[in-house]
Amino acid sequence: MMHRRIRRAAAAALIVLGCVITVGAALLVTGRLGVVITSGISMNPVYYQGDLIVVAKQSSYQIGDIAAYHIPGTRIVALHRIIAGDATGFVFKGDNNQSIDPAHPTARDLVGRAVLHVAGAGRWMKTLSSPSVLGAVAFLLVGTGSTVIATRRRKRRKRRVTMARTQTRPSWAVSPAGMSRPTRTVLLVSAVAAVLGLAVGVLAFTKPTNNSVMVSEPSPGKATFSYSAIVPPSAAYDSTVVNSPDPVFRRLTNSVDLHISYQGQPGRIGITADLSTVGGWHSSITLAEPTQFTADTVDTGVQLDLTALQARADAAAAATGIPAGQVSITLAAPVVSADGGVFTPKILMTLTPLELTLAGDPAGLIVTNTATTINSGTQPNQLGALGIQTPVQTVRIAASVLLAGGLLVALLTLFINRKTPAPDEAQIITSRYGHLLADVEPLAVIPGRPVVVASFATLAKVAERAGLFVLHWTSDGRTTYVVFDDTSTYEYRTTEQPSGPPSNTDGAT
């Protein structure tokens, strides 16, 4: 009885393990779970290159979560931390990066939140999921399983030959593989998982993991303009400092400080001003020569002399005979990045003899680069089924999990079945026909009634047809089963001694 319980518990544990493996592989393929193998140093010291991160889809995401998202226009996945925003647009930043990510993905764009981290596992996962290693593992596991099965069969044949010399065992007393039903169920499930993993793996490993594509990527860059001026105390302002976007009244000052804060790729930055009037006159002025900067951010600025700018426009008006009137000033900070990209953020201001004002919405003081660049790169190749697109690398991992998991569960099942004593004939009968059995004291043969010696299967059919119990007892190491109908006695005796304690040890038939 104890061996039977151990076997059932082991079978249940293996079934649970097989289900976990199968469900995990299914979640990977359907996209509810994702696997990210890190590269680069953007998330140091939380993650390092070659780490394996499992991410899971969430109903909501919070600031502080580490999450993966698809970079817009590509199938490349970034794994960074959410530092601001909401489901309509999150702000991401690598813990080891100086600047924020240029993309602001929505909740729909997120692959999932990091839920499991295995340091360094990405390197060996890539190795284990290669065709050569996976094939070698499958060969070793199948070969080992075949050896175990062959050994069991040789022992079983030897045992049957020995028993045949002394007694005959009915063909129904032992299952075809000498295994219990739970064991056969586990083997069937694991075999299906392994075959499915092998089939999917063959398909996935015939496809490249990446495709060469021309990728359209947003160009990084953001400039924030601001201006300020020192004025004497007056009723025009509440303090002696004027800050953008308030107008600057020229009766109080003609000197304005322009500030520019830039975030983006390193390069060179300068400051220019384009003057124009309604009469068609225009002129360009270099306010600050381009200077080199090597960080991802730079702060620069220049002082605007409103009197000099007005004088430039008045001189042009005197030459053309057309009054200058209102002067439009376009202030620009052209940035040339190290890779040759050009970003020219601008703001428009209006200059009159009385004031300098910002033209347009104050939100225009923040200018983001809207240009895109076309680069040659790679993106993950995908396999599709039932409307679900899954990266080939993820399918390879899921197939490897299914194949290795199925073979592992099968080997564990065979090993446990090998170490667990096989049930004897009486135990098999009890487990299958226990509802028909009644334990009694040894009974004597009823004189004058014919005794029919039959197989237990025949006794079971007679009992079920007549609504009778199969009476049984144990004596001299053998269990006797009888069914009494109206005219005959049907009898069957086991050919081996039960492994458990006998029900009765005295008496005779």
Side-chain angles (χ1 to χ4, degrees):
M1 183 64 69
M2 182 60 68
H3 290 313
R4 192 185 308 163
R5 290 178 179 175
I6 294 175
R7 176 176 293 187
R8 288 178 178 175
L14 289 174
I15 290 175
V16 171
L17 176 61
C19 291
V20 170
I21 292 172
T22 304
V23 170
L27 290 175
L28 283 173
V29 172
T30 57
R32 297 303 303 174
L33 286 180
V35 176
V36 178
I37 298 176
T38 57
S39 60
I41 60 172
S42 63
M43 284 303 294
N44 290 3
V46 179
Y47 304 136
Y48 290 90
Q49 182 161 329
D51 288 357
L52 184 146
I53 316 299
V54 177
V55 297
K57 279 280 189 182
Q58 305 292 318
S59 58
S60 62
Y61 299 87
Q62 307 295 327
I63 294 176
D65 287 347
I66 297 177
Y69 67 90
H70 291 287
I71 296 177
T74 74
R75 290 176 180 170
I76 300 173
V77 173
L79 182 71
H80 286 162
R81 191 183 300 277
I82 299 174
I83 62 171
D86 53 30
T88 61
F90 290 106
V91 179
F92 279 83
K93 177 180 176 297
D95 288 359
N96 196 39
N97 285 348
Q98 296 297 320
S99 59
I100 63 175
D101 296 1
H104 299 291
T106 65
R108 184 179 303 176
D109 301 320
L110 302 190
V111 180
R113 179 172 61 84
V115 295
L116 178 63
H117 170 216
V118 184
R123 291 188 290 270
W124 58 258
M125 178 60 74
K126 286 184 177 180
T127 302
L128 289 180
S129 61
S130 65
S132 57
V133 174
L134 187 61
V137 171
F139 175 79
L140 290 175
L141 289 176
V142 171
T144 304
S146 301
T147 302
V148 172
I149 294 173
T151 302
R152 286 187 55 81
R153 287 177 176 173
R154 285 196 298 270
K155 290 183 177 180
R156 192 176 299 116
R157 285 197 298 267
K158 185 181 296 184
R159 184 167 62 250
R160 287 177 177 174
V161 170
T162 302
M163 294 175 60
R165 295 174 182 172
T166 57
Q167 55 191 11
T168 303
R169 169 173 290 191
S171 59
W172 56 264
V174 180
S175 62
M179 299 176 183
S180 63
R181 182 175 299 177
T183 301
R184 293 197 302 272
T185 301
V186 173
L187 285 177
L188 177 61
V189 172
S190 59
V192 171
V195 170
L196 179 61
L198 182 60
V200 174
V202 169
L203 176 62
F205 282 108
T206 58
K207 303 290 184 181
T209 57
N210 295 297
N211 290 327
S212 297
V213 293
M214 301 303 293
V215 181
S216 176
E217 299 179 350
S219 299
K222 182 177 75 172
T224 302
F225 290 83
S226 62
Y227 58 85
S228 62
I230 303 297
V231 295
S234 70
Y237 301 105
D238 293 335
S239 69
T240 59
V241 179
V242 182
N243 290 306
S244 51
D246 291 341
V248 178
F249 298 112
R250 297 183 60 186
R251 176 170 290 186
L252 299 177
T253 184
N254 275 291
S255 179
V256 178
D257 292 325
L258 175 68
H259 312 279
I260 301 171
S261 178
Y262 171 78
Q263 292 181 337
Q265 293 182 342
R268 291 179 292 113
I269 185 171
I271 303 176
T272 63
D274 288 338
L275 309 181
S276 63
T277 61
V278 293
W281 171 81
H282 62 87
S283 178
S284 296
I285 303 173
T286 298
L287 301 178
E289 294 293 338
T291 57
Q292 193 77 26
F293 63 98
T294 58
D296 291 336
T297 60
V298 64
D299 291 321
T300 186
V302 69
Q303 189 175 74
L304 302 177
D305 186 345
L306 304 185
T307 301
L309 296 177
Q310 184 70 56
R312 183 74 175 265
D314 291 341
T320 61
I322 301 175
Q326 178 178 288
V327 180
S328 296
I329 303 176
T330 301
L331 298 171
V335 179
V336 180
S337 60
D339 60 4
V342 179
F343 170 43
T344 307
K346 302 176 181 179
I347 62 170
L348 179 62
M349 302 194 76
T350 301
L351 180 66
T352 67
L354 297 178
E355 62 182 354
L356 174 71
T357 57
L358 177 67
D361 193 331
L365 290 170
I366 301 176
V367 183
T368 302
N369 192 359
T370 59
T372 58
T373 57
I374 305 298
N375 298 319
S376 176
T378 61
Q379 66 180 19
N381 191 18
Q382 302 217 357
L383 289 175
L386 302 177
I388 300 174
Q389 295 291 325
T390 307
V392 169
Q393 184 64 33
T394 300
V395 176
R396 288 185 177 185
I397 294 174
S400 303
V401 170
L402 275 177
L403 177 58
L407 293 174
L408 176 62
V409 171
L411 287 179
L412 288 175
T413 302
L414 292 174
F415 179 79
I416 293 173
N417 188 71
R418 182 184 181 186
K419 294 298 183 181
T420 305
D424 57 36
E425 189 177 349
Q427 289 176 334
I428 295 175
I429 292 174
T430 301
S431 63
R432 183 173 180 182
Y433 299 101
H435 63 288
L436 294 176
L437 301 181
D439 189 11
V440 298
E441 295 294 329
L443 301 174
V445 176
I446 301 176
R449 288 175 61 94
V451 177
V452 180
V453 179
S455 66
F456 188 87
T458 301
L459 269 68
K461 290 180 180 179
V462 172
E464 289 176 340
R465 184 166 54 245
L468 302 173
F469 280 104
V470 179
L471 309 179
H472 72 101
W473 63 90
T474 300
S475 177
D476 296 332
R478 299 173 65 187
T479 302
T480 302
Y481 300 87
V482 296
V483 174
F484 298 106
D485 67 1
D486 295 336
T487 60
S488 304
T489 299
Y490 295 86
E491 179 182 279
Y492 173 75
R493 291 187 181 183
T494 60
T495 57
E496 59 185 9
Q497 183 175 356
S499 59
S503 301
N504 298 287
T505 57
D506 57 351
T509 59

